């Protein structure tokens, strides 16, 4: 488990079901606030078209991912819809030490692990206006197989029950409104 560094950098974390629009929200936030440092995760998932190594994710095979886990190189990790995802530890700790606001965009199990190692981190849950709207968005993305879609929807039902664990909840109906709420919660005025 990581020691919580005694630096001024603050750790923010965003969780929410697949398809809720976390990625779009985070991209919009970073455009307006380039001082925020976004953690790039490692994953065993195959790249989707347009995804770039080292920018979208660090794409690893399972053996390399497992090696990172056993070396203690990940701050947290979890399995999601048949693939592994994890947050590289060293860059997060370095950015916090440097006093920069750090943002993680990860799923529920990872959020729970981070809550234990960084209890003063601020955790925000993003939820859709309705489950039907979430399904429409996941299907509309057109990037996942039917099997992957079903797994993501099943997982979404579980994740949606966890919103009360979080410091704040944002309903992502309208991107502009959700972005404003996120900025307020992060003290970005
Ligand atoms: P996707 O395959 O759609 O890019 O991501 C699937 C899920 O994995 C999303 O809910 C995303 O937030 C989550 N995720 C991405 N990176 C990490 C990570 O480093 N750790 C954990 N626990 N979840 C992650």
């Amino acid at each position: 488990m990581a020691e919580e560094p005694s630096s001024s950098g603050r750790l923010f974390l965003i969780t929410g079901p697949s398809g809720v629009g976390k990625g779009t929200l985070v991209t919009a936030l970073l455009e307006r606030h380039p001082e925020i440092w976004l953690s790039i995760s490692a994953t065993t998932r195959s790249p989707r078209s347009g995804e770039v190594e080292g920018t979208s994710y660090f794409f690893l095979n399972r053996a390399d991912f497992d090696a990172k886990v056993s070396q203690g190189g990940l701050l947290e990790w979890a399995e999601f819809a048949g693939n592994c995802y994890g947050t590289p530890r060293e860059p997060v700790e370095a950015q916090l030490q440097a006093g920069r606001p750090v943002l993680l965009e990860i799923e529920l199990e990872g959020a729970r692990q981070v809550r234990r190692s960084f209890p003063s981190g601020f955790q925000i849950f993003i939820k859709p206006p309705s489950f039907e709207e979430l399904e429409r968005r996941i299907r509309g993305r057109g990037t996942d197989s039917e099997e992957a879609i079903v797994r993501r929807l099943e997982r979404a039902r579980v994740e949606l029950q966890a919103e009360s664990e979080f410091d704040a909840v944002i309903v992502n109906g309208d991107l502009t409104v959700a972005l404003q709420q996120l900025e307020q919660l992060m003290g970005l005025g």
Side-chain angles (χ1 to χ4, degrees):
M1 201 181 280
E3 287 280 307
E4 188 162 16
S6 57
S7 66
S8 56
R10 185 124 197 246
L11 184 79
F12 296 95
L13 184 151
I14 289 180
T15 293
S18 175
V20 78
K22 285 169 294 181
T24 312
L25 199 52
V26 166
T27 303
L29 180 76
L30 295 181
E31 268 170 22
R32 287 165 58 92
H33 304 280
E35 73 277 14
I36 298 169
W37 183 81
L38 175 69
S39 165
I40 310 292
S41 299
T43 183
T44 61
R45 166 165 83 56
S46 307
R48 294 188 182 125
S49 90
E51 285 186 330
V52 178
E53 163 69 20
T55 303
S56 315
Y57 280 106
F58 297 106
F59 295 99
L60 301 182
N61 62 35
R62 185 66 201 244
D64 289 345
F65 191 95
D66 289 347
K68 276 218 177 294
V69 172
S70 55
Q71 290 156 7
L74 300 179
L75 198 62
E76 60 71 37
W77 72 275
E79 222 168 306
F80 180 94
N83 290 297
C84 295
Y85 297 80
T87 303
R89 177 193 301 279
E90 195 276 327
V92 169
E93 292 182 346
Q95 295 295 333
L96 288 173
Q97 295 276 339
R100 240 176 130 177
V102 165
L103 179 62
L104 309 185
E105 188 261 273
I106 68 176
E107 57 67 67
L108 180 61
E109 291 306 325
R112 287 174 171 156
Q113 292 171 46
V114 172
R115 207 174 291 150
R116 290 195 287 272
S117 42
F118 290 88
S120 68
F122 193 77
Q123 300 209 343
I124 302 162
F125 189 81
I126 314 287
K127 72 176 197 177
S130 68
F131 194 82
E132 291 66 36
E133 172 62 14
L134 185 71
E135 177 162 5
R136 199 184 62 73
R137 289 185 195 172
I138 291 181
R139 291 191 179 281
R141 195 155 67 176
T143 49
D144 295 305
S145 65
E146 180 61 25
E147 192 202 346
I149 289 171
V150 168
R151 282 204 267 184
R152 279 166 189 268
L153 287 171
E154 279 169 8
R155 184 71 200 150
R157 284 194 195 280
V158 174
E159 294 208 344
L160 285 168
Q161 286 164 16
E163 68 169 87
S164 62
E165 293 174 23
F166 286 77
D167 298 308
V169 177
I170 294 175
V171 178
N172 190 14
D174 178 280
L175 178 66
T176 313
V177 175
L179 181 59
Q180 265 175 9
Q181 291 175 346
L182 184 58
E183 287 178 324
Q184 256 175 15
L185 286 167
M186 293 178 73
L188 298 166

